[in-house]
Amino acid sequence: MEVIRGKDSEARRGERFTGTAWVGTPLKAQRPAGMRVFLVFFEPGARTHWHVHEGEQTLYVVAGTGRVQKSGDPGREIGPGDIVYIAPGEKHWHGAGPQNSLLHLAVTTGGDTVWMEEVTGDAYTKDFN
Ligand code: MN
């Protein structure tokens, strides 16, 4: 058993995010390709770049309103209590809505995350449901 004490969130910007996201103390993988858990707060307009997880990812929305999109599909709006399952290899992004913040828990298994290009303003704002 491991108990990992919480501490202040750290800001993430730049290579992997547009805008500012705050990442709380993570659970790092405890074994090769093991589960990782992150609590992420996205300021309004903040979102990840496009990326792919080699393993699975589940997002659980704790608070706020956000957006998620799989490459080639329309974006989806997400809110408190929503769960998003992302299969291995699916190119996607997730983040806050333009006017709202988003708090989600992310549980990821298996292997690395491959980071890609920024989500452009067009892709971020059109075709949400
Ligand atoms: Mn993801």
Side-chain angles (χ1 to χ4, degrees), residues 10-24 26 38 40 46:
E10 294 179 2
R12 300 283 177 87
R13 302 181 177 91
E15 292 180 355
R16 299 175 178 182
F17 294 93
T18 299
T20 301
W22 297 84
V23 180
F38 296 86
V40 186

Side-chain angles (χ1 to χ4, degrees), residues 49-123:
H49 290 191
W50 289 100
H51 61 281
V52 168
H53 303 290
E54 293 178 355
E56 298 168 295
Q57 183 173 63
T58 298
L59 306 177
Y60 177 83
V61 179
V62 178
T65 302
R67 297 179 163 191
V68 62
Q69 185 176 23
K70 175 184 171 183
S71 183
D73 288 354
R76 303 289 301 275
E77 193 159 278
I78 52 176
D82 288 346
I83 292 171
V84 182
Y85 172 76
I86 299 142
E90 284 186 347
K91 183 178 176 181
H92 70 286
W93 62 270
H94 31 108
Q99 313 294 336
N100 302 280
S101 57
L102 177 75
L103 179 66
H104 76 41
L105 194 68
V107 181
T108 309
T109 62
D112 292 328
T113 298
V114 179
W115 292 94
M116 301 170 182
E117 71 273 18
E118 189 170 8
V119 179
T120 64
D122 270 3

